[in-house]
Amino acid sequence: MYQASFSSRLLPGERIIWTGQPSTGLLLTSRDTYLIPFSLVWFCFTVVWETAALTSTDADTFFVLWGAMFMGIGLYMVVGRFVSDAWIRSKTSYALTDQRVLIARSAPFAKFIAVNLARLSDVQLTERSDGTGTVRFGPQLAMTGARQGFGAWSPALDPVPQFLIITDARRVFDLVQHAAAKR
């Protein structure tokens, strides 16, 4: 199914073992335990700020615009990040070959990642009770820090390569382990 999108990126003699795509729809992670309350407090504060700025008799345009900007950021944190994450995941495809892990994402956040199986040092499996899960090809980054970027708010933009929320994650993890052992 996704094999055609990766065929032009294969090295000579390389063959595809598995292809897939992340699940679509709403995705909640353990980070949302902290991010959802923070974003709700942020958004509520900006609504109060904007209401006060708009109802003030001597409303300064700067304070109204400043509040509107932060209210927009809060709206993104409360709702928009889930919508954009689902949209980015819908444009992402995965492949495992006998030599590499391949991740392709189409525009507007187009990116292609190839991780050599011989260089994998840390592969992690996070599995849910329904068999879906995530296979990460590197350590989990701290929620704060410059390297995290939007990955803290959107799992699809996490800088660590991963097969995010795939079906039959344990089988794919085992395929990665077996392919890496042959390298």
Side-chain angles (χ1 to χ4, degrees), residues 117 120-125 135-139 173 176-177 180:
L117 291 174
L120 285 180
S121 61
D122 188 13
V123 181
Q124 302 170 8
L125 169 65
V135 180
R136 292 180 65 84
F137 305 101
F173 178 79
V176 170
Q177 294 298 307

Side-chain angles (χ1 to χ4, degrees), residues 18 22 93-96 100-103 133-137 160-166 169 172-173 176:
W18 172 86
S93 299
Y94 305 131
L96 173 64
R100 301 180 296 162
V101 167
L102 306 176
I103 302 171
T134 297
V135 180
R136 292 180 65 84
F137 305 101
V160 176
Q162 60 186 327
F163 292 161
L164 183 65
I165 306 301
I166 56 172
V172 175
F173 178 79
V176 170

Side-chain angles (χ1 to χ4, degrees), residues 147-181:
R147 289 190 56 214
Q148 188 67 14
F150 276 105
W153 293 93
S154 176
L157 295 176
D158 192 320
V160 176
Q162 60 186 327
F163 292 161
L164 183 65
I165 306 301
I166 56 172
T167 57
D168 206 8
R170 181 178 303 236
R171 184 179 72 79
V172 175
F173 178 79
D174 290 342
L175 287 171
V176 170
Q177 294 298 307
H178 291 300

Side-chain angles (χ1 to χ4, degrees), residues 9-40:
R9 302 235 187 214
L10 295 178
L11 300 173
E14 187 175 25
R15 66 179 180 81
I16 293 176
I17 300 171
W18 172 86
T19 60
Q21 191 170 19
S23 296
T24 57
L26 178 66
L27 172 61
L28 295 174
T29 66
S30 59
R31 291 179 178 198
D32 289 314
T33 306
Y34 304 103
L35 294 177
I36 289 173
F38 173 79
S39 60
L40 288 172

Side-chain angles (χ1 to χ4, degrees), residues 1-3 5-6 18-22 88-96 101-106 111-113 162-164 166:
M1 178 164 149
Y2 308 104
Q3 199 158 354
S5 64
F6 289 104
W18 172 86
T19 60
Q21 191 170 19
I88 292 167
R89 281 185 283 119
S90 74
K91 298 184 172 297
T92 303
S93 299
Y94 305 131
L96 173 64
V101 167
L102 306 176
I103 302 171
R105 189 170 62 216
S106 60
K111 189 174 191 177
F112 182 80
I113 299 170
Q162 60 186 327
F163 292 161
L164 183 65
I166 56 172

